[in-house]
Amino acid sequence: MANNDWKKRDGVVFSTNPNFKYDIDEQDDEVQTLPPNKQKLIVSIDRSGRAGKQVTLIKGFCGSSEDLAELGRKLKTKCGVGGSVKDGQIIIQGDFRDKIVTLLLQDGYNAKRGN
């Protein structure tokens, strides 16, 4: 049963060759983190789907998920609020656009205030 894991072969055309063996390529999909001065971050506010509550979104981070989580942890600590990291975005509870932009600029990031 372990050799017949169809989920890893999704999208592969069936072969009639009885000796055919499908090889799964183990690729390292982890992206290298760009230096802070090459990052282009957009800091915006969002209310949709959150029952009218405001959150600050930081988008545009190019790098590994560990580095994104570390940046999110640092921003949450500096602002003194909660938040999370999901889908390549940092979510900070509340409207902290100006404070987050200044913190990111101090760390050398190219940050821009959105809406």
Side-chain angles (χ1 to χ4, degrees), residues 6-78:
W6 63 272
K7 291 181 181 178
K8 292 182 182 175
R9 296 178 290 155
D10 190 28
V12 176
V13 178
F14 178 73
S15 174
T16 57
N17 183 0
N19 296 327
F20 179 76
K21 197 98 164 140
Y22 181 74
D23 295 326
I24 300 172
D25 294 332
E26 298 295 329
Q27 296 178 0
D28 187 21
D29 291 336
E30 194 64 36
V31 179
Q32 293 291 333
T33 304
L34 293 175
N37 59 353
K38 302 278 186 187
Q39 301 275 357
K40 294 183 181 178
L41 302 178
I42 298 172
V43 181
S44 61
I45 194 162
D46 188 28
R47 291 181 195 90
S48 63
R50 304 182 199 305
K53 296 192 166 85
Q54 297 177 344
V55 294
T56 305
L57 294 177
I58 297 101
K59 303 178 196 174
F61 186 83
C62 296
S64 66
S65 57
E66 293 86 18
D67 292 335
L68 180 65
E70 182 62 33
L71 180 61
R73 189 176 307 115
K74 180 179 178 182
L75 291 174
K76 288 188 293 184
T77 303
K78 295 278 185 174

